Amino acid sequence: MENKTVEKKFKTPIIIVSVVIPLAVVLLFSIRLKDFGINVEPLSFLPPIYAAINGITALLLILGVLAIKKGNRALHHKLMTSAIACSLAFLMMYVAYHMTAESTKFGGEGVIKGIYYFLLITHIILSVTIIPLVLFTYVRALSGDFDRHKKLAKITFPLWLYVAVTGVIVYLMIAPYYV
């Protein structure tokens, strides 16, 4: 019963964070620092870095699952905590880039354009969805509620992996169109 109490304690903060982060990203995405008289050169070096961080996140997730399958709970914990840290670093860099640079338009045509927008839209939707899933999965593990952690992780892992991998693919598809 104590494990559920821990999760209950974090439920409201997780819900708040899960709503605030996407709203803040949308708000910050629409703000350009130059509009406030802050002259900052576009942080054009960031997209390949945050794409690489998405790739690292995907690798950490896979290694984390392999570690727990081998019974190495301590390594699993370190890898999953690192994946969360990478996701936070990605988010900060992504927002910083978009606050200093105009959005890049995808220049592909035909079928590739449809594929790009399918990947982009599903990536965005799932990146919002994954926030509470990751946080609840993590809290369940920290509280020692491993049965419920494992059940939720079976949903969280493939979605989070999809978000990380499609982040890299979307970057690779749009990279030729950066100014």
Side-chain angles (χ1 to χ4, degrees):
M1 191 63 175
E2 186 179 317
N3 296 339
K4 288 184 181 180
T5 305
V6 171
E7 184 177 334
K8 197 173 193 179
K9 178 178 152 185
F10 284 99
K11 184 177 182 178
T12 300
I14 288 173
I15 291 169
I16 291 169
V17 166
S18 299
V19 170
V20 168
I21 287 176
L23 291 176
V25 169
V26 168
L27 176 67
L28 293 172
F29 195 84
S30 64
I31 293 173
R32 299 289 179 273
L33 292 178
K34 67 180 180 178
D35 296 339
F36 296 94
I38 301 171
N39 282 333
V40 176
E41 288 296 313
L43 301 175
S44 55
F45 63 92
L46 285 178
I49 296 171
Y50 62 66
I53 288 174
N54 265 331
I56 292 167
T57 301
L59 181 62
L60 290 168
L61 292 172
I62 292 166
L63 292 173
V65 167
L66 293 174
I68 201 64
K69 285 184 184 268
K70 290 182 178 180
N72 192 338
R73 191 177 283 177
L75 179 59
H76 172 75
H77 175 76
K78 288 177 185 173
L79 291 165
M80 301 316 278
T81 301
S82 297
I84 291 171
C86 282
S87 291
L88 287 171
F90 161 83
L91 182 62
M92 291 186 301
M93 285 186 239
Y94 180 80
V95 168
Y97 170 75
H98 284 285
M99 288 179 72
T100 63
E102 297 298 322
S103 291
T104 301
K105 303 291 183 228
F106 182 72
E109 297 294 328
V111 173
I112 197 72
K113 186 174 185 175
I115 293 169
Y116 171 79
Y117 281 107
F118 172 80
L119 291 173
L120 178 63
I121 291 166
T122 57
H123 171 81
I124 291 168
I125 291 168
L126 290 175
S127 69
V128 171
T129 306
I130 201 68
I131 296 168
L133 290 173
V134 167
L135 295 175
F136 278 115
T137 304
Y138 195 69
V139 165
R140 286 179 181 181
L142 291 178
S143 68
D145 192 351
F146 296 114
D147 289 337
R148 293 179 70 233
H149 165 79
K150 186 176 178 179
K151 284 180 185 176
L152 189 55
K154 287 182 180 185
I155 297 165
T156 304
F157 169 74
L159 295 178
W160 194 3
L161 184 61
Y162 179 86
V163 168
V165 170
T166 56
V168 175
I169 295 169
V170 164
Y171 165 75
L172 292 172
M173 291 179 80
I174 201 166
Y177 306 104
Y178 280 113
V179 178

